[in-house]
Amino acid sequence: MLIVDGQIHLWEKGTPSPPHRQEPYSGEQAIAAMDQAGVDRALIHPVLWDPDSNELAVEAVRKYPDRFAIMGWFYLDDPNGPDLVAHWKERPGMFGLRFYFNERHKREWMTDGSLTGYGPRPSAAACRLRSPPRCSYRRSAGSPSATLASN
């Protein structure tokens, strides 16, 4: 049976919030822990506190392509956001995007039109399914454009 950890974090710098491990965690450390626990693969969710965590995740995928995949992120108020989405899946190991609607990201952005240009908006009800609400952009099979769907 294939065992996949649905969410791990890799980082080198920054200060995590208290519920998280406080020391940096590398791809090599994750592989060692996965091997010890019998985990075959893991989905990396880059962290907000390390601005280079997307690139760290890509580096881990390049080193261990059969072990890692990525749900990346960027700040939604980045003016280059729509261009990033258009080419996101071209990055090694990228399965999609995951956003946290706290800090700079406002929850109402999901339904108020602020994310126009990123794809169709989910309904307000879809984003209220989780607390705090989380929604991800996922590319539809065979489609060059990204679509927004709750995760």
Side-chain angles (χ1 to χ4, degrees):
M1 172 181 358
L2 181 69
I3 299 174
V4 179
D5 186 332
Q7 180 175 344
I8 68 167
H9 303 302
L10 305 179
W11 74 94
E12 292 180 337
K13 59 188 169 209
T15 304
S17 57
H20 295 90
R21 172 190 172 110
Q22 295 299 296
E23 301 84 30
Y25 195 58
S26 69
E28 289 74 20
Q29 288 172 296
I31 290 292
M34 290 163 59
D35 288 347
Q36 183 177 3
V39 174
D40 300 299
R41 297 184 181 145
L43 188 56
I44 302 169
H45 291 252
V47 298
L48 297 173
W49 61 84
D50 183 344
D52 298 323
S53 61
N54 277 310
E55 297 312 315
L56 186 64
V58 168
E59 179 183 317
V61 166
R62 283 188 175 124
K63 241 179 166 172
Y64 306 101
D66 296 330
R67 304 292 301 272
F68 293 127
I70 310 165
M71 291 295 290
W73 73 274
F74 57 87
Y75 285 113
L76 289 170
D77 55 359
D78 181 333
N80 297 318
D83 291 333
L84 290 170
V85 168
H87 300 286
W88 200 256
K89 295 280 287 184
E90 296 168 11
R91 302 182 79 193
M94 285 293 176
F95 272 24
L97 297 164
R98 179 169 185 222
F99 296 107
Y100 307 86
F101 289 88
N102 53 14
E103 298 178 13
R104 282 172 56 175
H105 299 147
K106 298 179 181 178
R107 292 178 182 176
E108 61 271 10
W109 287 3
M110 292 303 302
T111 57
D112 72 1
S114 295
L115 300 179
T116 300
Y118 287 102
R121 293 183 302 193
S123 68
C127 289
R128 282 194 301 266
L129 293 175
R130 299 184 73 175
S131 179
R134 296 182 195 159
C135 292
S136 299
Y137 281 91
R138 294 192 184 137
R139 183 165 297 178
S140 300
S143 170
S145 64
T147 59
L148 187 63
S150 62
N151 72 355

